[in-house]
Amino acid sequence: MRNWKFNHIDFSTYPGYDGNDLGVFWSPEKTVIKIWVPTAQVVELRLYKDGLTGEAFHKTNLQKSGNGTWSTVLNGDYEGKYYTFKVNDGEWLNEVPGMYARCVGANGLRGQIYNPNSTNPEGWAVDRGPRYHSFTEAVIYELHVRDFSISENSGIESKGKFLGFTEEGTTSPQGQKTGVDHLQELGITHVHLLPVNDFATVDEEKPLEKYNWGYDPQHFCALEGSYASDPYDGTRRIREFKKLVKTLHDKGIGVILDVVFNHTFYTKESVFNQMVPGYFYRQKPDGTFANATGCGNEIASERFMARKYIVDALTFWVEEYHIDGFRFDLMGVLDLETMKTIREEMSKLDRGLFLYGEGWAADQSPMPEEQRAVKQNTHKLPGIASFNDDFRDGLKGNHGDKKSKGFVSGLNLREETIKFGIAAAVDHPQINFGYIESIKRAWAAEPDQCINYVSCHDNYTLWDKLKQSLPKAPDEELRKRVKLAGALVLTSQGVPFLHAGVEFCRSKNGNGNSYKSPDAINQLDWARKNDYIDVFNYFRQLIQLRKNHPGLRIANAEGIRSHLNFCTQYKIGVVAYCIEGQQVGDSWERIMLFFNGNAEPVEMPLPEGSFRVVANDTEINEAGIGELVSDTVTVQPVSMLILTLVK
């Protein structure tokens, strides 16, 4: 019986390899194979004609090739054949496709030898996503591949598939734009896709029998087959995902991938442990697997070959799939040096790649917090952003407590937390940290390190959270509160992040953790777009307003400290501030923003001059709404008001 405790092993003594040729690489004349398995005594390669069934038609042993690597060359054309490795390190381990498998058959059981160039859509050589001067210009939209199109009312034929993103001209039964046309109409700059790499819990042969968000990784370099039109041919998923990327790029929308390098779904049975037992995972002092992820294991990102593997995988996604950025699940499990290395290596490929993640872990780790990429250490990670959960909870209440309230649901004394979000989590002299429950100091050094949001795939949708914390509130009031939350997220400094469907009051029927709930819960109900078209239009106009005005997306912390001032007298339940627009390149000389979370209107004094109303709780119009105002202004209940100084 194998001993799965590793406190007797010093993994730092394992040889490292820094070449860029690990994996299986096809050419018409030969297929070259190299893998890193330093503890192996024998490595057997098996070839198959099928991705699931049948006996191996060829077996051969790899040869040692230095620094812990083993390799072989298959002469001839093996395109379309499937393969596995079987390692003996004193005992035979399970048959697996290897950790560098880039193309796999159904359910990831066998790797597939393939020609990457044959999977490229027309125009792929010149395909490129949008790039911006500052990441604060981005507006991110978080989306699950299956949720996007699976509903009967999506108007999309390739339901739940990568190809659903490539269909244009789709509409709901009510005639509203759906699918990719909806994304373009809304105006977002990036789609953030929940994991698309191969995950374990959905049977690709019966994809509609189960649902999962995909945070249960099996292969980090291969695509998930349940999103493909054919899960058996691994090249089909590659071809179709590239079409997804190119369609979005052609519409000026970038593609960000959610990556889960903090754990694997399987532990003992994982591809890592069946190649190099123990090495890729952290251990507790007693030698058992550590579990800062709450999923049974945590990746030892600090070890040389684990760090290299993560960088290699990300590099592959950028080079092969033209990906524009990455969101790191439970980034707080990964060590700081690995995240710094990732930023450095991604910048060598493309300085415009956007990196951000969850600055927390789910449980205790044997690695000290000061060495990990937790939110409090974000200032040590230039070019990497963290989610501002302080702002999120200040806006709507504690994420896990359905009855708790925040600023947009009428809870007072959350004003300093809201100011912290408005200032993009950077240090600002007018924020009193003593009144912020969750933190005691700023954690972002620059505004592009702060992801501002009010909801995401985790926990309740914004609509459901408001409905449960305000059970007697009528529909019209809840709409106003959704608009107020959207206004705060989309006019604040930093990087705004929207949960798909928030713009039409998405509901999951009150389900607070829908990671494996059925499509009936998770799907985007496109009928709601027509039902809540006023909310959709408000979000669309907010996004356009942000794009038009650099004052709402100042690119550096010093600019925020110098030119964004909380310039009005304090009133409970109200946050108001001024932006000196001309100082930050805006066409508006001075911008005043008011947010009233109270159930009553408030009268706010104005500085000297005349002001144009350009946004209120129902309308955004840069040309002006109504008469000019001076001296004082009334801010309606649960609403935003934006004024600009008239010269």
Side-chain angles (χ1 to χ4, degrees):
M1 178 75 70
R2 178 174 292 273
N3 178 14
W4 289 98
K5 291 188 177 183
F6 298 95
N7 49 338
H8 61 293
I9 296 177
D10 180 1
F11 289 112
S12 68
T13 63
Y14 284 23
Y17 178 72
D18 60 4
N20 61 1
D21 57 348
L22 292 176
V24 176
F25 299 94
W26 170 90
S27 70
E29 299 80 25
K30 62 185 177 181
T31 294
V32 179
I33 299 168
K34 182 179 282 188
I35 60 175
W36 184 76
V37 275
T39 54
Q41 297 176 15
V42 180
V43 182
E44 183 182 81
L45 171 72
R46 298 180 177 184
L47 295 179
Y48 297 87
K49 294 180 180 178
D50 185 89
L52 282 174
T53 61
E55 297 296 317
F57 69 85
H58 179 73
K59 296 180 182 180
T60 188
N61 287 345
L62 277 64
Q63 303 301 311
K64 286 187 177 182
S65 48
N67 297 99
T69 65
W70 294 65
S71 62
T72 193
V73 175
L74 300 173
N75 291 310
D77 187 352
Y78 283 85
E79 183 177 3
K81 301 301 186 288
Y82 297 84
Y83 67 88
T84 59
F85 300 103
K86 198 165 173 63
V87 173
N88 187 316
D89 64 351
E91 300 177 50
W92 283 106
L93 290 155
N94 296 342
E95 196 174 351
V96 292
M99 62 190 78
Y100 277 87
R102 297 175 173 93
C103 181
V104 295
N107 291 319
L109 297 179
R110 295 172 183 171
Q112 185 175 350
I113 300 170
Y114 78 114
N115 172 8
N117 292 331
S118 70
T119 64
N120 294 341
E122 186 177 348
W124 189 246
V126 295
D127 172 74
R128 181 173 169 80
R131 292 295 180 268
Y132 296 96
H133 172 70
S134 168
F135 293 131
T136 59
E137 296 178 50
V139 179
I140 301 170
Y141 189 84
E142 184 202 44
L143 186 56
H144 184 275
V145 169
R146 187 154 142 181
D147 296 354
F148 188 51
S149 56
I150 198 72
S151 171
E152 282 299 316
N153 62 22
S154 71
I156 296 170
E157 290 184 13
S158 298
K159 295 188 185 302
K161 306 297 183 183
F162 292 138
L163 289 179
F165 284 79
T166 68
E167 296 179 29
E168 300 181 62
T170 62
T171 60
S172 69
Q174 296 82 16
Q176 298 293 344
K177 292 179 180 180
T178 65
V180 70
D181 290 350
H182 169 82
L183 300 178
Q184 191 171 36
E185 183 184 21
L186 182 59
I188 50 97
T189 66
H190 291 77
V191 165
H192 157 156
L193 294 174
L194 269 64
V196 298
N197 62 286
D198 185 53
F199 54 86
T201 51
V202 172
D203 184 348
E204 294 176 0
E205 294 190 276
K206 304 170 185 174
L208 296 181
E209 287 192 357
K210 290 182 75 175
Y211 175 98
N212 205 281
W213 282 338
Y215 294 97
D216 49 342
Q218 181 167 257
H219 297 296
F220 288 97
C221 298
L223 284 158
E224 168 61 21
S226 68
Y227 298 148
S229 62
D230 177 2
Y232 300 101
D233 177 2
T235 62
R236 188 74 66 90
R237 61 187 79 179
I238 295 172
R239 191 175 294 111
E240 292 171 358
F241 183 68
K242 286 180 176 178
K243 287 182 179 178
L244 174 157
V245 172
K246 188 170 188 307
T247 300
L248 288 170
H249 282 175
D250 287 348
K251 292 186 175 294
I253 298 172
V255 179
I256 294 170
L257 295 190
D258 205 324
V259 288
V260 192
F261 289 109
N262 57 77
H263 78 284
T264 55
F265 178 72
Y266 298 112
T267 300
K268 294 175 184 178
E269 304 87 351
S270 77
V271 66
F272 292 136
N273 270 332
Q274 295 303 317
M275 301 289 281
V276 191
Y279 179 86
F280 286 89
Y281 299 93
R282 289 190 194 128
Q283 288 82 26
K284 300 175 187 175
D286 66 359
T288 60
F289 293 105
N291 186 26
T293 65
C295 298
N297 59 72
E298 62 185 273
I299 297 297
S301 58
E302 68 279 8
R303 294 177 188 157
F304 179 83
M305 290 303 291
R307 181 177 294 163
K308 172 181 167 52
Y309 177 79
I310 294 171
V311 171
D312 285 352
L314 296 172
T315 299
F316 172 70
W317 286 106
V318 172
E319 293 183 338
E320 185 62 27
Y321 293 104
H322 303 176
I323 296 307
D324 305 294
F326 299 96
R327 177 266 195 191
F328 293 85
D329 184 64
L330 291 184
M331 185 173 70
V333 172
L334 305 178
D335 69 290
L336 284 169
E337 289 308 311
T338 291
M339 290 308 303
K340 290 177 183 177
T341 302
I342 289 169
R343 179 69 271 178
E344 291 166 6
E345 294 302 317
M346 293 301 102
S347 292
K348 291 176 185 176
L349 294 174
D350 184 343
R351 295 189 66 84
L353 296 172
F354 190 26
L355 308 178
Y356 58 97
E358 292 180 302
W360 49 79
D363 209 332
Q364 296 299 309
S365 173
M367 173 172 278
E369 192 169 88
E370 59 267 22
Q371 297 175 28
R372 290 186 280 114
V374 294
K375 183 179 64 178
Q376 290 77 5
N377 292 330
T378 304
H379 64 283
K380 300 177 183 178
L381 295 169
I384 299 176
S386 293
F387 281 94
N388 191 352
D389 56 331
D390 311 295
F391 191 45
R392 175 199 68 193
D393 288 357
L395 285 169
K396 67 175 183 180
N398 180 274
H399 65 280
D401 179 356
K402 64 183 180 182
K403 293 185 178 180
S404 66
K405 298 178 183 178
F407 181 84
V408 302
S409 38
L411 183 65
N412 291 329
L413 302 182
R414 290 296 177 270
E415 295 84 7
E416 295 303 312
T417 307
I418 303 307
K419 288 165 62 178
F420 180 67
I422 287 168
V426 304
D427 191 41
H428 192 287
Q430 292 177 291
I431 295 173
N432 187 333
F433 286 90
Y435 286 95
I436 303 178
E437 293 180 359
S438 53
I439 51 159
K440 297 306 171 191
R441 62 175 177 83
W443 46 259
E446 295 293 342
D448 65 0
Q449 291 185 291
C450 172
I451 303 290
N452 273 333
Y453 70 121
V454 67
S455 58
C456 67
H457 70 276
D458 282 326
N459 315 118
Y460 303 103
T461 69
L462 175 59
W463 179 263
D464 289 345
K465 181 72 165 70
L466 291 171
K467 203 166 184 179
Q468 292 179 100
S469 61
L470 298 164
K472 297 181 180 179
D475 183 275
E476 191 58 41
E477 180 187 328
L478 295 177
R479 289 177 193 241
K480 289 172 67 71
R481 297 187 187 278
V482 170
K483 289 178 184 178
L484 180 59
L488 276 158
V489 169
L490 287 163
T491 61
S492 292
Q493 305 301 319
V495 183
F497 174 103
L498 303 175
H499 179 219
V502 68
E503 73 278 14
F504 48 75
C505 303
R506 181 180 184 176
S507 174
K508 293 184 182 179
N509 294 338
N511 189 312
N513 187 18
S514 66
Y515 76 99
K516 61 177 183 179
S517 299
D519 292 314
I521 297 294
N522 282 295
Q523 67 189 1
L524 284 177
D525 178 3
W526 290 98
R528 292 180 77 89
K529 182 178 178 182
N530 193 68
D531 294 342
Y532 295 93
I533 193 65
D534 59 315
V535 180
F536 168 77
N537 285 329
Y538 198 68
F539 272 72
R540 178 178 56 79
Q541 292 168 347
L542 283 165
I543 291 170
Q544 191 59 52
L545 186 73
R546 183 181 184 88
K547 288 180 175 180
N548 292 349
H549 290 282
L552 302 178
R553 42 182 173 81
I554 300 170
N556 57 78
E558 193 49 50
I560 293 172
R561 282 189 284 271
S562 300
H563 305 301
L564 187 157
N565 301 291
F566 297 96
C567 55
T568 66
Q569 67 184 78
Y570 170 71
K571 290 195 177 185
I572 293 176
V574 178
V575 176
Y577 61 101
C578 305
I579 298 170
E580 303 304 325
Q582 279 190 342
Q583 301 299 316
V584 291
D586 205 299
S587 59
W588 286 339
E589 179 180 342
R590 192 175 214 210
I591 312 167
M592 296 193 70
L593 298 94
F594 303 85
F595 300 91
N596 180 15
N598 295 300
E600 303 84 27
V602 291
E603 200 80 13
M604 298 295 292
L606 296 176
E608 187 175 337
S610 295
F611 291 83
R612 176 182 293 114
V613 178
V614 295
N616 58 28
D617 57 335
T618 60
E619 183 182 359
I620 298 171
N621 186 342
E622 293 188 35
I625 302 167
E627 302 295 322
L628 298 181
V629 295
S630 57
D631 299 326
T632 63
V633 67
T634 300
V635 187
Q636 295 301 317
V638 191
S639 74
M640 170 190 73
L641 193 65
I642 300 180
L643 311 179
T644 61
L645 180 65
V646 178
K647 292 181 181 179

